[in-house]
Amino acid sequence: MNRLSLTLTAALALTPIAASAHKIIAAVFPSGTQIEGEIGFSNGDMAKNVVVNVLRPDGSKIGETTTDADGFFTYTPTEETALEFRSDLGAGHVATAEMSLEDVARVMGHTVTATEAPVSQAATDAPVVAGGLTPVQVAEVADMLRDELRPLRREIAAYREKNDLQTILGGIGYIIGLFGLVFYIAARRRLQDAGKGAQ
């Protein structure tokens, strides 16, 4: 029985245990003439008042910004280049998010690719009107939508993390269950063998 106890102890010691770790959530997206982003953790905590370095593809720093109390930040691009947003959150956590050259070009109001359809001069001279709204009203509606969608994006990211964690914990539980079944069968055989030896 001592060998069984030792085997059980070794198996439990080697079984992976779920840690209270959390993933970093970092995202950037076009927001009118700016780039908006958020940094936080999968448990819902946001990275408050942290410096976000803005880097070129070669790793050189082009600028920086700071997150607000909700973990959000904005950055106005000054160069038409792909960007990486990087923030050191301490304890080995580094948040990174990237924006492609095409997205940066759109934010800056430049042509994205040469394959886009040419726009006629008459179309560029006409005032932009969508659904009877003036350009100022369209901008205000866009700002309102961005503000309303922020919490939704955060909830979706937390939901994804929760499901990932549930899958991991379910897998660990399955492995522990298999170990338990193996030890139960082994113990039962030992008892049967001990019973046959005593007869």
Side-chain angles (χ1 to χ4, degrees), residues 31-189:
S31 177
T33 59
Q34 294 184 321
I35 297 169
E36 187 173 315
E38 67 178 326
I39 299 175
F41 298 95
S42 60
N43 64 0
D45 294 340
M46 299 309 289
K48 301 174 183 175
N49 304 316
V50 297
V51 175
V52 180
N53 293 307
V54 184
L55 309 172
R56 294 179 184 94
D58 64 3
S60 61
K61 186 174 176 179
I62 191 173
E64 70 178 39
T65 186
T66 305
T67 61
D68 63 12
D70 293 325
F72 288 96
F73 65 88
T74 58
Y75 176 75
T76 304
T78 56
E79 291 181 21
E80 194 170 316
T81 181
L83 298 174
E84 179 181 359
F85 297 84
R86 181 183 294 262
S87 183
D88 184 358
L89 305 177
H93 297 296
V94 177
T96 60
E98 296 178 357
M99 181 167 277
S100 68
L101 171 63
E102 291 80 14
D103 287 339
V104 173
R106 279 191 205 102
V107 168
M108 295 181 74
H110 298 146
T111 303
V112 179
T113 62
T115 59
E116 290 182 345
V119 179
S120 68
Q121 185 63 31
T124 59
D125 292 341
V128 178
V129 178
L133 298 176
T134 66
V136 173
Q137 291 171 328
V138 170
E140 289 174 357
V141 169
D143 287 340
M144 288 177 8
L145 280 174
R146 278 190 290 274
D147 291 341
E148 293 297 323
L149 289 176
R150 282 180 182 173
L152 183 61
R153 282 193 300 261
R154 187 179 299 148
E155 287 179 22
I156 289 171
Y159 178 75
R160 279 189 212 143
E161 174 61 23
K162 178 183 174 191
N163 283 341
D164 289 346
L165 183 61
Q166 286 176 345
T167 304
I168 291 168
L169 292 176
I172 290 171
Y174 183 75
I175 292 169
I176 290 172
L178 287 176
F179 271 112
L181 181 63
V182 167
F183 285 117
Y184 171 76
I185 293 171
R188 189 168 173 178
R189 283 187 184 164

